[in-house]
Amino acid sequence: MTRPIRKLLVANRGEIAVRVMRTCRDLGVATVAVHSAADADALHVRLADEAVAIGPASSSESYLVGAKVLAAAQATGADAIHPGYGFLSENAEFAAAVVEAGLIWVGPPPAAIHSMGDKTEARKLMAEAGVPMAPGTPDAIADPAEAERVAGGIGYPVLVKAAAGGGGKGMRVVERAADFAGAFERARSEAQSAFGDGRVYIEKYLVGPRHIEIQVLADAHGAVVHLFERECSIQRRHQKVIEEAPSAVLTPETRAAMGEAAVQAARACDYVGAGTVEFLLDADGAFYFLEMNTRLQVEHPVTELITGIDLVAEQLRIAEGEPLGYGQDDLQIWGHAVECRVYAEDVPAGFLPAPGPLLRHRPPSGPGVRVDAGVEEGDEVPVHYDPMVAKLCTWGRTRDEAIRRMDRALGEYDVAGIRTTIPFCRFVMTHPAFTSGHFDTGFVGDHFDPADLAPPADAERLALVAAGLARLDAAPAAGNGAAPPAVDGSRWARRRHLAG
């Protein structure tokens, strides 16, 4: 039985809220934004048909309070809620509350979120389904002495990982027995602080793996397909910064095997909607289950670019109760796509967040270029949330074409007022290890020194002067005596890198 969505509340902010709203507009679905005090004039608020304030700047008092979000949906007459990613997107209790309130939850069943959100439960479920697993403990382990004995039995190096949560938090690589006790306690402490759950488990650490993930779609009628893979190996602090689809190294046989394993994983937890099954691929071509993300991924645009499928539109159709209407044989890969996450970060300082005002924001354009931005020129990248400015994606008929197009687009991306990851992204696009496809999750540590992108003193002073003049030109009456902000500096960084 289908139930059409007429008004959708987007329980998120930034670029993902904007991205969901634009698909809704294409489909004729009205939208409701929720916002904190810090986001009162944010782009997603300006684009929505209605907006509801839900609390102070702190996400713990606004975007993470399910009761406030649900009340906003009920007050505006929304009949569905899309959680985006982050915040409440993988909160099984919130999903259940939405369903119990009689609203449509644009996501998987609460039971699937719960079972795949607990990493130890997910590992057991995947093992039972025959999905390849790296050696490790089936359950969380609390006793430090027992944990150290288990680690020795698995063989170093090992990973100590949080049973709840993700994003690299509560995770420690341990190279030798002498370091285990300290790493175990630090992982438990960080997991407790980040997720309110200090449980950890242990698994074998694969040296030099590649991070490959498979996009899946499942409807409520039993149909499940995969939309091929994304390569997410370029990371800093265990968090992705550059992704591409398809991977440069997967053979057709491995692609098919990984896709089938992802479908098995979705079936094992009775999945419905869009989800991603993540794997680690070793140097010998063997792959192992890492986790399943029960939501839309940040990097979903590269899959859309190579398949022609709007994943948000599919999420809405599935939530309405419609069947997929196509099978695995109807899907194929068209060309190649690359995504660079443009963050407000100070790369030379170690990728530290660097929020601030966007005095100038002029993204690139042209054939094969897509920009998913959550801000516009004149907006502020707030200090309270993830410092993403935009996702820049390019498509090409070949991988080389997509990379060259990305390098060109990054060079044309004009940002002033904040430092961004654009210079780092250009470094990657022109590095032989990346262009040749011979890299792994250790790329940043192996090939990149943040100090290499530190600006020469004269260039930094000129950049500050230029930014100050831009601010005065934009707001001549302000006269507040504030120090001018830093600019991106991608042009001098590019020249320095290409020169040697």
Side-chain angles (χ1 to χ4, degrees), residues 171-423:
M171 181 163 66
R172 290 289 186 277
V173 178
V174 189
E175 301 279 356
R176 56 199 182 112
D179 299 330
F180 184 85
F184 184 78
E185 288 306 319
R186 285 192 296 274
R188 288 207 302 184
S189 175
E190 187 173 284
Q192 181 65 42
S193 175
F195 314 118
D197 185 342
R199 293 175 304 131
V200 296
Y201 66 99
I202 302 167
E203 71 177 23
K204 179 66 178 175
Y205 178 70
L206 302 180
V207 178
R210 297 180 74 125
H211 190 150
I212 309 290
E213 61 188 30
I214 305 289
Q215 177 72 57
V216 296
L217 284 175
D219 66 22
H221 308 278
V224 186
V225 298
H226 69 83
L227 280 71
F228 314 107
E229 83 277 4
R230 297 184 287 258
E231 168 101 35
C232 307
S233 298
I234 306 297
Q235 306 175 1
R236 47 94 174 97
R237 297 192 300 272
H238 301 293
Q239 295 178 322
K240 307 161 191 172
V241 65
I242 294 173
E243 302 94 357
E244 61 179 311
S247 168
V249 296
L250 255 59
T251 64
E253 294 77 17
T254 302
R255 176 173 295 117
M258 291 183 84
E260 180 55 34
V263 168
Q264 287 178 295
R267 292 191 185 281
C269 64
D270 297 320
Y271 202 82
V272 176
T276 298
V277 184
E278 303 199 356
F279 299 95
L280 291 179
L281 178 75
D282 71 16
D284 298 322
F287 61 89
Y288 305 95
F289 174 80
L290 180 61
E291 64 182 357
M292 184 174 188
N293 288 298
T294 53
R295 54 173 169 77
L296 199 65
Q297 292 281 89
V298 176
E299 58 273 16
H300 75 273
V302 292
T303 294
E304 295 182 326
L305 288 171
I306 67 164
T307 62
I309 291 177
D310 183 327
L311 289 172
V312 173
E314 293 303 286
Q315 284 186 298
L316 298 180
R317 285 201 317 110
I318 291 168
E320 290 176 326
E322 293 188 21
L324 284 180
Y326 48 85
Q328 194 64 54
D329 292 342
D330 298 312
L331 300 168
Q332 59 181 304
I333 296 172
W334 297 92
H336 200 96
V338 179
E339 174 180 292
C340 288
R341 303 189 190 187
V342 178
Y343 285 107
E345 291 184 349
D346 187 338
V347 177
F351 294 96
L352 293 178
L358 270 176
L359 300 182
R360 190 166 60 249
H361 183 246
R362 298 167 193 177
S365 60
V369 176
R370 168 175 168 174
V371 181
D372 286 22
V375 288
E376 291 180 330
E377 187 168 301
D379 288 346
E380 181 104 4
V381 179
V383 69
H384 314 284
Y385 316 112
D386 181 87
M388 181 179 284
V389 175
K391 299 182 308 196
L392 174 61
C393 303
T394 57
W395 179 90
R397 291 164 295 181
T398 65
R399 184 173 186 265
D400 286 347
E401 183 177 74
I403 291 172
R404 289 196 301 271
R405 183 165 285 156
M406 177 60 77
D407 188 47
R408 185 267 296 173
L410 287 165
E412 294 177 1
Y413 207 137
D414 190 7
V415 180
I418 57 172
R419 292 184 176 89
T420 77
T421 51
I422 290 174

Side-chain angles (χ1 to χ4, degrees), residues 97-185:
V98 171
V99 174
E100 289 167 8
L103 304 181
I104 297 173
W105 169 248
V106 185
I113 297 175
H114 175 77
S115 62
M116 301 311 287
D118 186 301
K119 301 301 187 291
T120 55
E121 184 175 338
R123 281 174 59 84
K124 288 188 284 188
L125 193 60
M126 294 301 99
E128 291 169 2
V131 177
M133 306 291 299
T137 56
D139 298 299
I141 189 163
D143 180 65
E146 175 63 18
E148 190 164 352
R149 284 193 293 271
V150 170
I154 293 173
Y156 290 95
V158 298
L159 268 175
V160 182
K161 299 179 68 175
K169 295 182 175 65
M171 181 163 66
R172 290 289 186 277
V173 178
V174 189
E175 301 279 356
R176 56 199 182 112
D179 299 330
F180 184 85
F184 184 78
E185 288 306 319

